[in-house]
Amino acid sequence: MKRSYLLTVLFFLFTPASICLWQPANASSHHASGKPAITATTEAVTAFINVNVIPMDRERVLKNQTVIVRGGSIAELGDAAKVKVPAGAVRIDGRGKYLMPGLIDMHTHLFSDDEYPDSIAGDELAIMVANGVTTSRLMIGTPEHLALREKVAKGELLGPTLYVASPELTGRAARGIFNGRTVRTPEEARQAVRECKAAGYDFIKLTTQITRPVYDAVIEAAKDAGIRVVGHVDLPVGLYRALEAGQQIEHLDSYMEAVLRDDAPMKVSVSDSGVGRKANWESLDYIDDRKVAAAAKATAKAGIYTCPTLTFFKLSYAVPQTEEQLRRRPDYRFFPPKMRESRHRAHNRYWSSPPSTERLKRYLSVRNQLVKGIHEAGGKIMTGSDTPELFLLYGFSLHREIQNLVEAGLTPYAALEAATRNPAEYLRALDTIGTVERGKRADLVLLHANPLEDITRTERRAGVMVRGKWITEAESKKMLDEAATRFQQAWGN
Ligand SMILES: [Zn+2]
């Protein structure tokens, strides 16, 4: 979603609390084009012994393996009976456990975006890591995010490897804090694309109020500059133009409009900000299921990677929850009291006159059908949490998203692909991340049980390894406790 939709967030007077837990011996890992860090023999060695590996190269489990991590990379992987554990290695007993690639969140924002960027960013990244997220894409970038990306890559800050999309390109600046570029003409659009590329952003992020001529200019300029376009698809652009342009689409934007029957009395529906307009929900009675299937097929055929952010839209707009249910969420405690109040109010306001149960169900089922249809047609789905919206925080929500993909009809393996291999491919980093293989960066999650049998087991962690740094579950819990405390202090009560 767009940050300007967020309820006003108060950032005042707090001291930077970036944590720097770790200084590796070899800090020369490289971002983006990223080959794994070349390791030196003097470096610390960690061995996962007798572990079941879910490599994610295809659907299989390699039983009783030993995985040797040296520096930031997987140095060896093989039969536990054959792989020799070097003397002095830190030994992690993997018996009965499952080792899989670290998770990738393709859609996040930081609380510390906007005016106070450096403040609690370190804690935000630590929350992601503690949940097993080892790569993350920040969707509306700032110069401070670029600095964070660098710090993480150099090993100066514990965090997931970051990819940073540009400040939002939009036709209309948001009121208040606005981290974007207003692009009203093709010339403004071309200029913005060139400047964002030159500034070092990894992607061009589109949000809303984009006219067709501006869109066309963005696509053309991005092609010339060698940078890819991601984000929202506005109605004047439409789904099929975005597919043709090769844009990577977030939130299934514009799909709900694209699947309306030809004789529907309206053209608007509930994609993106339309979801908050109650009148638009009437369009749910006019959906053409053949168009749903066709849109899914067209997406796959165009080779577009889809980041549907099912969880955010489901929990914000389609499934009512009691205050008690919201409070019971594990991420709830990170939200400062003032922010909680305003978010409860927004939730109550929306649910005081909700769309009919039938339309809510239809909404969920069409979005699920799209995701399943895209996957079955050979398209690639990617996980994104879109936090910190509502009471949904990084990591915690990424697991919900993986579970919601299974609920939409993907197999557990396909859902795990969406959180590992598919985004690695899209990021053009499959040579570094996304699978467990020799030579890859040691971004790993160790689980107590097999997630291919029950997808909720991605939350039953024994520990996380990020860039070769091992963090036990107990250490993760401590990181979360500390971050929660600092979050509360950051906003005051
Ligand atoms: Zn977003």
Side-chain angles (χ1 to χ4, degrees):
M1 220 42 178
K2 202 177 138 183
R3 274 312 294 273
S4 52
Y5 295 150
L6 283 177
L7 297 151
T8 309
V9 173
L10 302 170
F11 301 89
F12 290 116
L13 298 172
F14 47 84
T15 48
S18 299
I19 51 170
C20 184
L21 297 174
W22 169 58
Q23 202 78 44
N26 177 353
S28 64
S29 297
H30 186 242
H31 173 71
S33 64
K35 290 277 177 284
I38 304 303
T39 58
T41 47
T42 51
E43 280 170 335
V45 177
T46 309
F48 296 90
I49 298 164
N50 254 309
V51 71
N52 301 304
V53 174
I54 302 176
M56 296 305 295
D57 56 346
R58 58 194 157 88
E59 185 164 359
R60 59 176 178 157
V61 176
L62 305 170
K63 301 250 180 200
N64 300 320
Q65 303 285 295
T66 286
V67 179
I68 309 285
V69 172
R70 188 172 275 128
S73 305
I74 298 170
E76 225 176 316
L77 185 166
D79 250 0
K82 290 180 190 154
V83 174
K84 197 170 168 285
V85 178
V90 174
R91 301 164 77 96
I92 298 164
D93 183 4
R95 262 175 308 180
K97 298 191 177 70
Y98 290 78
L99 192 67
M100 63 168 288
L103 303 172
I104 304 178
D105 190 341
M106 289 298 279
H107 194 127
T108 52
H109 306 274
L110 298 181
F111 275 118
S112 56
D113 286 356
D114 309 328
E115 283 187 358
Y116 295 84
D118 293 332
S119 54
I120 56 163
D123 281 317
E124 299 194 80
L125 301 184
I127 293 169
M128 297 182 198
V129 169
N131 278 290
V133 175
T134 55
T135 301
S136 188
R137 181 171 68 171
L138 304 177
M139 282 307 277
I140 297 184
T142 66
E144 290 76 13
H145 292 168
L146 296 176
L148 283 176
R149 184 182 71 185
E150 233 27 59
K151 273 187 165 179
V152 172
K154 285 180 179 160
E156 294 167 7
L157 180 68
L158 180 81
T161 296
L162 296 177
Y163 288 80
V164 184
S166 71
E168 60 173 307
L169 270 50
T170 171
R172 192 170 63 205
R175 275 168 298 174
I177 294 166
F178 172 57
N179 170 38
R181 294 279 307 246
T182 317
V183 287
R184 284 189 221 88
T185 65
E187 192 34 57
E188 281 178 351
R190 282 190 282 269
Q191 175 103 3
V193 169
R194 283 193 296 265
E195 287 177 20
C196 290
K197 167 71 178 177
Y201 293 103
D202 296 309
F203 300 98
I204 296 297
K205 165 74 189 261
L206 284 173
T207 53
T208 52
Q209 310 291 331
I210 299 291
T211 64
R212 180 64 191 266
V214 164
Y215 184 83
D216 293 346
V218 166
I219 295 299
E220 191 193 294
K223 207 174 192 181
D224 289 347
I227 188 166
R228 290 180 287 171
V229 178
V230 303
H232 294 245
V233 179
D234 241 7
L235 300 190
V237 173
L239 173 65
Y240 285 93
R241 169 62 184 130
L243 294 181
E244 176 197 49
Q247 180 191 332
Q248 193 258 299
I249 301 172
E250 298 293 300
H251 316 303
L252 292 171
D253 236 15
S254 260
Y255 280 80
M256 298 305 290
E257 293 74 14
V259 300
L260 291 179
R261 274 167 24 201
D262 292 334
D263 65 349
M266 71 286 285
K267 293 266 175 266
V268 293
S269 184
V270 292
S271 288
D272 194 51
S273 52
V275 74
R277 291 184 205 117
K278 293 286 160 61
N280 287 14
W281 282 83
E282 206 186 308
S283 66
L284 271 294
D285 303 348
Y286 296 93
I287 287 167
D288 182 341
D289 284 301
R290 285 164 309 181
K291 286 196 178 186
V292 173
K297 282 208 183 86
T299 304
K301 189 159 177 250
I304 301 299
Y305 284 65
T306 301
C307 182
T309 62
L310 291 178
T311 304
F312 166 61
F313 285 93
K314 178 179 172 180
L315 294 184
S316 301
Y317 299 104
V319 178
Q321 293 134 99
T322 63
E323 189 160 325
E324 189 46 39
Q325 283 173 313
L326 294 174
R327 287 181 189 282
R328 272 207 306 270
R329 287 188 189 163
D331 25 8
Y332 187 85
R333 64 176 172 145
F334 294 88
F335 291 81
K338 270 182 196 158
M339 201 183 287
R340 285 181 196 167
E341 278 170 38
S342 65
R343 289 183 182 206
H344 277 300
R345 267 201 305 277
H347 189 255
N348 294 341
R349 200 162 44 238
Y350 178 82
W351 288 105
S352 64
S353 60
S356 72
T357 309
E358 205 169 275
R359 286 173 183 165
L360 291 172
K361 270 193 186 153
R362 185 80 167 124
Y363 172 74
L364 280 178
S365 104
V366 170
R367 285 177 60 86
N368 286 347
Q369 275 175 55
L370 284 165
V371 168
K372 187 167 185 251
I374 291 168
H375 169 69
E376 285 178 348
K380 302 290 175 78
I381 305 293
M382 306 193 289
T383 47
S385 62
D386 203 3
T387 47
E389 301 280 359
L390 193 64
F391 295 114
L392 303 166
L393 212 59
Y394 344 88
F396 296 103
S397 265
L398 199 77
H399 294 279
R400 294 184 182 110
E401 184 71 4
I402 294 170
Q403 289 158 26
N404 278 319
L405 291 178
V406 171
E407 203 179 291
L410 268 59
T411 62
Y413 180 74
L416 291 183
E417 275 187 314
T420 57
R421 192 193 165 87
N422 292 354
E425 263 175 30
Y426 181 74
L427 294 167
R428 296 175 178 159
L430 191 58
D431 59 343
T432 316
I433 56 173
T435 65
V436 184
E437 286 174 89
R438 189 188 312 177
K440 294 225 171 166
R441 192 161 65 218
D443 284 347
L444 302 162
V445 180
L446 186 64
L447 301 174
H448 286 292
N450 187 353
L452 297 173
E453 289 167 6
D454 172 358
I455 198 62
T456 63
R457 291 171 176 175
T458 60
E459 295 190 275
R460 292 191 52 206
R461 281 177 301 280
V464 179
M465 181 170 266
V466 57
R467 293 174 170 267
K469 158 80 177 167
W470 174 241
I471 301 163
T472 63
E473 189 59 7
E475 286 166 335
S476 282
K477 291 219 159 83
K478 191 161 170 265
M479 277 160 57
L480 292 175
D481 288 344
E482 288 171 2
T485 305
R486 279 194 284 262
F487 267 56
Q488 299 299 314
Q489 288 163 355
W491 278 273
N493 293 306

